[in-house]
Amino acid sequence: NAGVTQTPKFRVLKTGQSMTLLCAQDMNHEYMYWYRQDPGMGLRLIHYSVGEGTTAKGEVPDGYNVSRLKKQNFLLGLESAAPSQTSVYFCASSYGTAAYNSPLHFGNGTRLTVT
Amino acid sequence: GDSVTQMEGPVTLSEEAFLTINCTYTATGYPSLFWYVQYPGEGLQLLLKATKADDKGSNKGFEATYRKETTSFHLEKGSVQVSDSAVYFCALSPKGGSYIPTFGRGTSLIVHP
């Protein structure tokens, strides 16, 4: 009964380093999302995917890349980390065919600090 | 574009007090509406939802009614507990286009014994 699993839970990077955040869901959901959460800013959508092999930009895509090679996995990459990318990152998933009626299922987040 | 506006927090209450967190939205057509709750150190989880006008969503003593005429979806609970302390997010999902949901900024609730 895993739901949405994010790895790692915590990470500290130096400016300019790269990393990949992994999101895995076992609910056969079509849609997957990456959000960042910052104090006073709520949730901001970085990128999303409406199915295997597809990706699209959200509200704040700059500095991030994503891939959805398998339906169950959605990867978020930071090619050259910056202190402004210090945040808590959440992955979420939902059904596609009735997405408007389907709630999002969230992972427990990855806390990233860039020094 | 679509938008969701929530009252700013934090909302601080004593145990057993009545809770209202206001939420209004702007959207084309009639979206589905949701309330999510985020406990410390966790991701968001669905609290309740309503998919059409006049629907009432309810869960764990919380209620919200979809009001088309005032474009609102206010969250209420008659008697809060310390364990209700969390951040609450109002959200909408459009019934068309990309179906991508829009979230409010969240309202922090602190309940004191």
Side-chain angles (χ1 to χ4, degrees), chain A residues 31 33 35 37 40-43 45 48 50 90 96-109 111, chain B residues 32 34 36 38 41-46 49 51 87 89 93-101 103-106:
Chain A
Y31 284 35
Y33 316 78
Y35 291 90
Q37 184 177 32
M41 302 295 292
L43 288 173
L45 183 64
Y48 64 98
V50 299
F90 287 99
T97 54
Y100 67 89
N101 201 23
S102 168
L104 270 60
H105 296 255
F106 284 83
N108 280 332
R111 186 173 295 276
Chain B
S32 293
F34 303 82
Y36 291 84
Q38 184 182 29
E42 299 182 8
L44 282 69
Q45 56 185 276
L46 178 69
K49 71 176 186 181
T51 58
V87 180
F89 290 87
S93 282
K95 292 176 183 172
S98 65
Y99 301 109
I100 301 304
F103 284 83
R105 290 197 171 189

Side-chain angles (χ1 to χ4, degrees), chain A residues 15 45 52-53 88 95 100:
Chain A
T15 297
L45 183 64
E52 181 179 312
V88 181
Y95 289 108
Y100 67 89

Side-chain angles (χ1 to χ4, degrees), chain A residues 41-87:
Chain A
M41 302 295 292
L43 288 173
R44 291 185 291 172
L45 183 64
I46 304 171
H47 286 279
Y48 64 98
S49 168
V50 299
E52 181 179 312
T54 75
T55 63
K57 294 180 180 180
E59 180 185 356
V60 290
D62 293 343
Y64 305 94
N65 57 75
V66 288
S67 64
R68 183 100 181 268
L69 298 180
K70 293 183 178 181
K71 185 177 184 179
Q72 64 267 34
N73 296 335
F74 195 29
L75 279 61
L76 177 72
L78 286 73
E79 290 186 349
S80 179
S84 61
Q85 294 177 304
T86 294
S87 187

